[in-house]
Amino acid sequence: MTAGLDANSATTNGAPGKKTDDGVFTVSVTGAYENDGFKGDGGGNPHKPPRELTDEEASQQGKFKMSTKEKWRILKNVTAISCAFMIQFTAFQGTANLQSSINAKDGLGTLSLSSIFAALVVSCIFVPSFLIKRLTVKWTLCLSMLCYAPYIASQFYPRFYTLIPCGIIVGIGAAPMWASKATYLTQVAGVYAKLTDQAVDAIIVRFFGFFFLAWQTAELWGNLISSLVLSNPHGTDAGTTDYDLCGANFCASISNSDETSAVASSELFEIMSIYLACIIVAVILIVILVDPLSRYGERQRRNSAVELTGIQLLSATFIQLKKPYQQLLIPMTIYIGVEQAFISADFTQSYVSCAMGVNNVGFVMICFGVVNAICSLLFGSVMKYVGRVPIMILGISVHAAVQIFLLLWRPHPDNPLLFFMASGLWGVGDAVWQTQVNGLYGALFRRNKEAAFSNYRLWESVGFVVAYAYSTQLCARMKLYVQLAILVFGFLLYCVVEIHHMRKLRKQKIKEKRAAELAAKRQAAIDQEPETTDDEKDDIDDEIIVTHL
């Protein structure tokens, strides 16, 4: 999909002129992601087309007409989707962060989270294209968001046969939800770029940046709700009194064998009722405030685009695995899933809930979310000046130091600042991985982004599944050792990728420099040749004439 000006905007050879007096553009949704109006006409002379396209002709050519005032409606749609996701994940993140504490018995909470990401791996491959093609983007978004409601409702009666199936439903719905969101933002960004005569890539980054800024705050609001409710004096437990069993010495298989939730049923009912209401509100926002994507050329785009089936995407994903760079990045990508699972499940259970009580989990995780959001924005800007390598070194240094600290530290409620310090520094490292590793995938696999990011989500989800699976089997100390080993090994392989990529870029620059020098020498040789005068041309012509005579 790309939107380019045509017909009413006086285009020729892909170069846009000015819009008509009534402020209407004819926007194309076929072709590539390029904004010729921003790049100029390439030296051509624009001319007004002979006549205006009718609506039917425009539709047949993969184009549609739109007023320039539509840009405000597009901004409204982007804001509505961002707010809906923020409300949706306020509920889900708040629920997920409490799972290892409120459903600790037999590791039921972490098993349910593991089922979510296991289902997500399968769903990423087969479900999105199938569902979007039949329901369109808007209604796929609504249905997928509703898939989160059963999981939150199952918290009222947490059992294996309620949590696990509902977790699988969340995993199945998550993939088409994220795919439809990305499709919607990308499509409207292309149209907005043409209406405002700006670069399409810049608008896409701007829209996604605003979306993820809103989405990151969900960690704050979800944990704030749980903390405020659990801070009520009735029914909450202040944690254990044997602090020697907390921290690195915490063993879920021993501590949770006979453990029941320290949260009163009335408080749990109150929290989950609020979260369930959040899911409903998020879906209502999409239904009422978000325009169907057909308004922005979804029908024309789908008719012109070549969509990959689930089998084709699966094939492309495994073909991508043959590439050396992809193979070397697998351990680092798995670590991203493992470390996120640790901070949301193991850290909250082994350190915060064990020593300070489950009512303080939300406050500590708020610190993680706020620092993560701030650093994500900061690192994206700083990279322009210092490059990716120093930021990656910062990431491994911070995470390695925090994990060593967690191995040595004996958590105690008398030192609450240490809990916030650990979660905040973990947020710094997580922001590094989320921004820089995603950017590295985009830089290395520019021609196969779909397959590359499919691999990224695949191996990240594998990290989640593995971490949640051994969460109930290993003690916190062993988990930290495993994470440190994966981190160091993954970073070493990343260094191999970075060094090889830098050498490749350096060789490419040398080749380009040599090619430029050779071209300059050839041009100089041409310039030094004596210029042929008109008299010499006449002499040659005369000789030819005489020869013929």
Side-chain angles (χ1 to χ4, degrees):
M1 182 289 310
T2 198
L5 301 179
D6 200 281
N8 290 356
S9 54
T11 60
T12 176
N13 297 328
K18 295 183 178 180
K19 63 179 181 296
T20 55
D21 295 334
D22 57 356
V24 176
F25 283 112
T26 299
V27 184
S28 170
V29 293
T30 59
Y33 281 109
E34 295 182 358
N35 187 343
D36 295 329
F38 180 82
K39 295 181 179 178
D41 56 16
N45 296 318
H47 61 274
K48 192 174 182 64
R51 67 176 180 84
E52 181 179 326
L53 292 175
T54 64
D55 292 342
E56 184 177 353
E57 290 173 335
S59 180
Q60 291 175 352
Q61 297 180 23
K63 304 171 184 178
F64 59 96
K65 296 182 179 181
M66 183 166 292
S67 170
T68 54
K69 296 180 181 179
E70 190 70 22
K71 62 184 181 182
W72 300 109
R73 191 158 188 152
I74 291 175
L75 293 178
K76 180 263 296 181
N77 290 325
V78 173
T79 303
I81 288 180
S82 301
C83 291
F85 268 74
M86 178 189 69
I87 297 172
Q88 171 95 354
F89 280 87
T90 291
F92 178 70
Q93 295 285 16
T95 304
N97 288 337
L98 290 174
Q99 284 307 296
S100 60
S101 298
I102 63 176
N103 294 317
K105 188 175 181 180
D106 298 327
L108 181 58
T110 53
L111 281 176
S112 69
L113 294 174
S114 181
S115 68
I116 291 175
F117 291 97
L120 179 60
V121 172
V122 179
S123 179
C124 281
I125 299 172
F126 297 105
V127 178
S129 59
F130 173 82
L131 205 59
I132 292 174
K133 189 174 182 180
R134 283 156 180 77
L135 297 182
T136 72
V137 168
K138 176 179 177 177
W139 297 112
T140 297
L141 202 55
C142 293
L143 179 62
S144 300
M145 294 174 78
L146 280 174
C147 290
Y148 284 72
Y151 182 73
I152 295 177
S154 66
Q155 306 299 321
F156 295 125
Y157 189 73
R159 299 292 186 274
F160 181 87
Y161 52 84
T162 58
L163 284 181
I164 302 303
C166 291
I168 294 174
I169 293 174
V170 171
I172 293 174
M177 182 187 70
W178 286 102
S180 55
K181 179 272 303 178
T183 300
Y184 195 100
L185 292 184
T186 304
Q187 177 95 353
V188 298
V191 176
Y192 185 89
K194 304 310 178 290
L195 296 178
T196 57
D197 196 25
Q198 299 183 61
V200 175
D201 289 344
I203 298 300
I204 291 176
V205 171
R206 191 180 305 172
F207 281 5
F208 274 89
F210 177 78
F211 169 84
F212 279 107
L213 177 62
W215 179 76
Q216 286 277 16
T217 62
E219 186 81 39
L220 189 157
W221 307 122
N223 290 306
L224 184 61
I225 290 172
S226 65
S227 296
L228 290 177
V229 174
L230 294 178
S231 293
N232 293 334
H234 57 278
T236 56
D237 193 343
T240 183
T241 56
D242 191 359
Y243 300 114
D244 290 335
L245 298 178
C246 297
N249 294 327
F250 185 88
C251 294
S253 58
I254 299 175
S255 302
N256 295 334
S257 57
D258 298 318
E259 184 179 345
T260 58
S261 175
V263 181
S265 58
S266 59
E267 291 183 344
L268 184 62
F269 183 87
E270 184 179 353
I271 293 173
M272 295 308 160
S273 297
I274 295 172
Y275 287 162
L276 197 57
C278 288
I279 300 294
I280 304 302
V281 170
V283 175
I284 292 174
L285 278 179
I286 298 294
V287 172
I288 296 178
L289 296 181
V290 176
D291 294 312
L293 198 54
S294 57
R295 184 182 183 91
Y296 304 105
E298 181 184 25
R299 183 176 64 256
Q300 293 89 335
R301 178 188 64 83
R302 289 171 61 188
N303 291 338
S304 62
V306 178
E307 297 183 359
L308 292 178
T309 65
I311 300 299
Q312 288 173 327
L313 181 57
L314 179 63
S315 175
T317 300
F318 282 103
I319 290 174
Q320 175 74 14
L321 279 174
K322 296 180 179 179
K323 299 182 178 180
Y325 282 170
Q326 179 63 70
Q327 295 171 1
L328 291 171
L329 288 175
I330 287 176
M332 195 75 234
T333 311
I334 291 177
Y335 174 77
I336 296 175
V338 171
E339 59 92 6
Q340 290 182 77
F342 178 84
I343 190 67
S344 63
D346 296 308
F347 177 75
T348 55
Q349 181 186 27
S350 305
Y351 291 84
V352 185
S353 181
C354 180
M356 297 180 68
V358 67
N359 55 306
N360 287 291
V361 169
F363 290 123
V364 175
M365 292 304 292
I366 285 173
C367 180
F368 167 78
V370 171
V371 173
N372 198 335
I374 294 174
C375 289
S376 294
L377 293 175
L378 179 63
F379 293 151
S381 302
V382 171
M383 181 187 168
K384 300 177 183 178
Y385 306 102
V386 301
R388 180 171 49 246
V389 176
I391 299 178
M392 290 290 287
I393 293 175
L394 173 66
I396 186 176
S397 301
V398 170
H399 262 203
V402 172
Q403 291 180 57
I404 293 173
F405 169 74
L406 293 178
L407 284 169
L408 302 176
W409 178 42
R410 296 294 176 264
H412 195 280
D414 292 341
N415 298 312
L417 288 179
L418 295 179
F419 294 88
F420 293 93
M421 182 197 72
S423 66
L425 290 176
W426 200 278
V428 174
D430 184 68
V432 171
W433 314 132
Q434 296 293 340
T435 57
Q436 304 308 310
V437 177
N438 273 284
L440 180 62
Y441 267 78
L444 294 177
F445 311 113
R446 294 179 180 178
R447 297 182 181 180
N448 301 285
K449 286 186 178 180
E450 187 175 28
F453 283 105
S454 178
N455 266 276
Y456 176 85
R457 294 301 175 192
L458 171 65
W459 295 110
E460 183 189 39
S461 298
V462 168
F464 274 106
V465 173
V466 170
Y468 286 136
Y470 68 55
S471 179
T472 58
Q473 306 301 319
L474 301 179
C475 296
R477 184 180 305 277
M478 184 57 65
K479 295 172 188 175
L480 288 168
Y481 284 139
V482 171
Q483 286 179 190
L484 269 173
I486 298 174
L487 174 61
V488 174
F489 181 63
F491 187 78
L492 291 176
L493 294 184
Y494 155 77
C495 291
V496 174
V497 172
E498 199 71 68
I499 293 171
H500 191 275
H501 185 58
M502 287 181 178
R503 288 178 179 176
K504 184 177 179 180
L505 292 178
R506 192 179 301 114
K507 290 179 180 179
Q508 185 176 353
K509 288 181 180 180
I510 293 174
K511 289 181 180 179
E512 292 175 353
K513 184 178 180 180
R514 290 177 179 175
E517 292 175 352
L518 184 60
K521 290 179 181 179
R522 290 177 179 174
Q523 186 62 39
I526 294 174
D527 294 339
Q528 290 177 357
E529 291 182 0
E531 185 177 357
T532 305
T533 62
D534 292 339
D535 293 339
E536 290 172 339
K537 291 179 180 179
D538 293 339
D539 293 341
I540 295 172
D541 292 340
D542 290 343
E543 291 177 2
I544 294 174
I545 293 171
V546 170
T547 303
H548 280 291
L549 288 174

